[in-house]
Amino acid sequence: MSFGFVLFVLWLFCLPSELFKVPTSTVVESREGVMLGARIADDGQWRFPKMDSVSYRFEQSILHFEDEYFYSHPGFNPISIGKALWQNLTTEKRRGGSTLTQQVIRLSRKNKGRNYAEKIIEIVQATRLETKYSKEEILNLYASYAPFGGNVVGLETASWRYFGISSHDLSWGQTASLAVLPNAPSLIFPGKNEAILKQKRDRLLLKLFQKSIIDQTTYELALLERLPGKPMPLPEIAPHFTEKIRRSNKGIKLKSTLEIHLQKKLNRIAKEHYLQLSQNQINNLAILVLDVNTREVLGYVGNAPTSKENNNYVDIIDKSRSTGSVLKPLLYASLLDAGELLPNTLIADIPTTVNGYSPENFDKKFNGAVPASLALSRSLNVPAVRMLREYGLPRFYNKLKKLNQPHINQAADYYGLSLIIGGAESSLWDITKVYAGMASTLQYFNASSSEYRQFEYLEPIYTYNDEVNFGNKITSTSIFNAGALYHTLKSLQKVNRPTGEENWSFFTNAQPIAWKTGTSFGFKDAWAVGVTPQFAIGVWVGNADGEGRPGLTGIQAAAPILFDVLSQLSNDGSWFSEPFDDLIEAEVCFKSGLLASDFCSEITTEWIPKEGIKTKSCSFHKRVFLNANETYRVNSSCYSVDKMRQKTWFSLPPILEYYYAPLHPEYSPLPSFAEGCLQEGEQLMEFIYPKKNEVIILPKDFDENLNEVIFKLAHRQPETNVYWYLDAEFIGTTETFHELSVSIQPGNYLLTATDQEGNEVKQKVEIIVASNE
């Protein structure tokens, strides 16, 4: 083996496999290529990832300042080296003869000692670098790793730190200033060496002018441009999003899916509302906007522009918070999907106790009976809890797991029925993606083949490095069928808005949106989530430390932000098409919302989810027989059959009627039976308090005396006397309004109420004393 061959092999493998093994900054751009933010490299240097090209201005500036023969030499310039060597030997001045290629090698070797042995190594490796990389690639390496003063490394970094723009947008004066810096990076210190830096820059500009690279006007204007000074802060247009990228994709430059103009508008909206909310010591908020069709993240505001003391560094979007009422639409859709509910079926809204748990509506009132769609749009808690009990807690819990809610991570029994009104936690990210999933399922339902795509499973994407897998088409139903989702979103279009508030006047039908608010217990979390055929918008407002505040409700704090965001989005006024292939036409009772029975007086024809045909028919309408004047009910035991008048009547059970009738003047209670008529099997009375299986807890007053218990009862007949008994002991009489206050000791009792006609209801009662702990 010849000595020459050995030298060739050594030369061939003289370069390391990776030239620069240094950490780089994380840089995040919008979909338009505008910088959203950046994070410093692990070694404390601002060093952006390697550039893939340099501008013409920088190429000409650096070549005329450092290496005019760059495109013609093999990695080193013998003439320059000879001149430098002669000057170094004959004078006390030191001159470098390194080419840009040699400087790349020196940078990769971390600027080891400048001696003749090191220079020989640089020359050898430079020639190898020239054979491995193109001239353009070598120039890019130099521009990426050259020092530009302080902890600023690389041309692109320097452009942003000193001028606040990309290197491709630099002027001739700015470019020339940066081109001379790597040669003497210490010149950049503000207030020092500015005269020397200006002299170097101006000489380079003169050279460019003399070489006809720039014209006279450009030259004169460039001379007037300011020099780089103190490093400028980098853009922070989406700080929490940038940090999210840093955690998952550290040290690279990523183009995200965020829209720069929308992001700036969201920042403005967040700032404006924060200034208002902070007056009530509400210090944090978050906004997320998704594209329904592509599932891309378009806008991301992780927190309000608040202070460090108020946890401004926390990214609220992916943090778990109490869900309030935002899961209610999923329960409504589940019931519709299973064929256990029609959109407007009457749901009981009465005092309810289940295993000691007594839910309350936000306004502490009861409606008696309310259409399911209205219960959803008004976000009533009691009907929601009753619907969850009917649907089944484990079934709904499993549905949520299919919808990929990772923060709901306890067993179903841990949450209980409170799951539906804020007993569970989720994040703005996970809630908004589910609402987007509902909208996209409707958007991509193929009516001709009843095909879906499984959109609910998809995670939103936020960089163009991600690929969204929209799944294969399936011919069975998705998590929710399209008919159920259509009616759910239709109901959410009717979400109740506060009355008398001028700030809602901007809402018009030109911007249709299905939306839902939520408020957690203790006024700690306010939610507003909405979808259109194009966008899903999620808003959370509260305090990151969990402090509750009066007025911190979804409708007051979060909804105004939602609609401000909606006003900034493009909207063609379109709405979801009815998925007729997933609906069936049926006759529905107008008053009860159930399938029409033979006795329903008002019947409408509606498109309902296919499975809805399995629901029961109306039981609230019944046939009754009246006397000739229609003032009393009668039967054959007390009235002549040929004089009876037959009618259909809409009648609710007594306890529903008790709360329903005062709110509905059009409701007519059933007439009383005429005197002497038999009343077999009719329920005339029902206890309101105590409710069945409810334990009565007696508190003590300031004198340690037990408070009284107030028993309440609903009776179908007005002006009726009711006689009350406790364990067969008479305790009082009520008339018309049946509420009785009684002093009672702890224990187990049998409560009995008997009216003047001998009708009777009984219920076991357990009474305990409230604990002082």
Side-chain angles (χ1 to χ4, degrees), residues 20 367 376 543 720:
F20 290 92
N367 297 275
L376 175 62
N543 286 310
T720 300

Side-chain angles (χ1 to χ4, degrees), residues 270 273-274 277 283-287 301-304 316 540-542 561:
H273 283 274
Y274 163 69
L277 293 165
N283 299 302
N284 306 100
L285 61 86
I287 306 171
V301 178
N303 207 330
I316 302 291
W540 177 91
V541 177
I561 300 176

